[in-house]
Amino acid sequence: GRPLVVAIDGPSGSGKSSVSKEVARRLRVAYLDTGAMYRAVTWDCLDRGLDLTDSALVEAAARALDLELSTSADHESVAVRGHDVTAEIREPRISQSVSAVATNLGVRNELIRRQRALIAVHGRRMVVEGRDITTVVARDAEVRLLLTASEEARMRRRGIQLGGTQTAEDLHQQVIERDLKDSTVASFSQAADGVYTVDSSDLDFEETVEAVLAVVHAAV
Ligand code: C5P
């Protein structure tokens, strides 16, 4: 088929992952969760006992990373050096450390290179989601959009996702503070030129998927 790269950026709790996955399914294209790649590097560094502030060592770990990542929206799996880390990379200890790894420019260069290679391998038919996809990784995407949501909506969704046992303070730490740390690596809070914005604050899941698909169909 024709190239169809759909680049989706947004903060945590915007519903980005579940929406991106469903959009990929309906468009019948591949799906790439770039956040899972930053999480996998973080898992690898912690597993090796590396000091995350040692930027040369962390960069070297990213370059050497033996990563197997599913690019199908129907099947989630992430393996590092043969260990299935699909569930572990979602744990709070990873979420708390991932920004330290993601601010390492050597790590970013390596992962951006791998992400572009994966897009090419899939014949440029892929939904790619993250923080810097519309601005860096796939500036040339057929469709670029920013999925936003109010702080309140994001904290509510993340709370539900984590099972509703979190205190408001925990949630704030996990959602707002991580985005603050991440804002130094990529500017995803405002849409760059030519990037559409979908605000999901007042939309349910199906409405958000339909809003994204409407942008895709209007653009191609
Ligand atoms: O999307 P997710 O919350 O899984 O991303 C985990 C982390 O990976 C983010 O908090 C951010 O530090 C980093 N990330 C990034 N650039 C991307 C995707 C994720 O820096 N394109």
Side-chain angles (χ1 to χ4, degrees), residues 16 34-35 38-39 90 98-99 102 108 130-133 178 182 185:
K16 192 168 36 110
T34 62
Y38 288 91
R39 288 172 181 274
R90 307 290 164 194
V98 67
S99 302
R108 299 200 74 77
R131 302 290 194 288
D132 61 344
I133 313 306
R178 181 146 61 94
D182 285 342
V185 293

Side-chain angles (χ1 to χ4, degrees), residues 53-110:
T53 64
D54 187 332
S55 52
L57 272 185
V58 172
E59 174 179 348
R63 290 186 184 280
L65 184 73
D66 172 10
L67 173 68
E68 260 180 84
L69 177 70
S70 164
T71 49
S72 160
D74 294 321
H75 172 72
E76 184 179 348
S77 83
V78 186
V80 173
R81 284 180 269 118
H83 298 279
D84 182 346
V85 296
T86 313
E88 262 184 78
I89 61 165
R90 307 290 164 194
E91 288 175 0
R93 71 180 182 101
I94 301 292
S95 302
Q96 277 152 25
S97 299
V98 67
S99 302
V101 169
T103 48
N104 180 312
L105 292 183
V107 170
R108 299 200 74 77
N109 283 336
E110 171 63 16

